[in-house]
Amino acid sequence: MAHVDHLAFHVDAVRVGTELFRTEEQFAPLALDLSRQAAANVTALRARFPALPDVARHLTSRPVRRGFLRDSFDSGIAAALVGDPDAARDHFERVLREDALAPWMVEAQEKACELHAIAADRDAVTAWVTRAVDSCRSKLGLDPVPSAIG
């Protein structure tokens, strides 16, 4: 699993390879095809996950895989956001039981500990997630967006 310096949630989706740029004429149709594939993927994901409870149900129903710390971290956040603090705490505790073998894992465990403590306060979790999303969007050079959590 690759580490990213921002929040990223991954679901099995169609992945396409990279295309080499040689000339505008060669690349233009490839870029158009990639954009069409991306649009189709977005449409499919929106149909599969129309609302936050659908996302939470998917994330919390995945089998627990030791060594996949991010799975439990994501599941804990989703459970807390939909008002299931017991499930959220259970997932955060799994994160805390993992061996932190890299600095990013230590950071994830620190965040899991913080979220575990506020899991029953949906407003506090929502505020935490909103700050994290705003920070991620800033790091990616994207404008802030109004919160869609609610």
Side-chain angles (χ1 to χ4, degrees):
M1 168 174 52
H3 167 64
V4 291
D5 192 26
H6 56 272
L7 288 178
F9 301 93
H10 303 280
V11 207
D12 294 335
V14 176
R15 296 178 191 225
V16 294
T18 58
E19 298 291 346
L20 296 175
F21 177 87
R22 289 185 287 283
T23 66
E24 294 258 349
E25 294 76 28
Q26 164 267 335
F27 192 71
L30 297 172
L32 183 59
D33 188 49
L34 287 172
S35 69
R36 286 182 181 142
Q37 289 177 41
N41 287 342
V42 167
T43 300
L45 287 170
R46 286 182 176 155
R48 185 174 173 192
F49 303 112
L52 187 56
D54 301 297
V55 174
R57 205 169 10 265
H58 169 76
L59 292 175
T60 58
S61 70
R62 295 180 299 187
V64 175
R65 302 180 298 170
R66 183 132 179 91
F68 287 82
L69 180 146
R70 287 279 179 201
D71 285 359
S72 292
F73 187 81
D74 296 348
S75 298
I77 290 173
L81 287 173
V82 296
D84 189 349
D86 293 335
R89 286 188 191 108
D90 181 54
H91 288 284
F92 292 136
E93 287 165 9
R94 289 181 185 144
V95 171
L96 297 172
R97 286 192 298 267
E98 291 285 340
D99 293 329
L101 304 174
W104 72 266
M105 296 174 86
V106 172
E107 184 179 329
Q109 287 181 329
E110 290 169 355
K111 290 176 182 177
C113 188
E114 180 182 348
L115 287 161
H116 185 281
I118 63 171
D121 185 345
R122 189 171 179 270
D123 290 339
V125 174
T126 300
W128 187 96
V129 169
T130 300
R131 286 190 305 274
V133 169
D134 288 346
S135 173
C136 292
R137 291 185 62 82
S138 175
K139 289 176 186 176
L140 294 169
L142 301 171
D143 292 331
V145 293
S147 177
I149 303 168

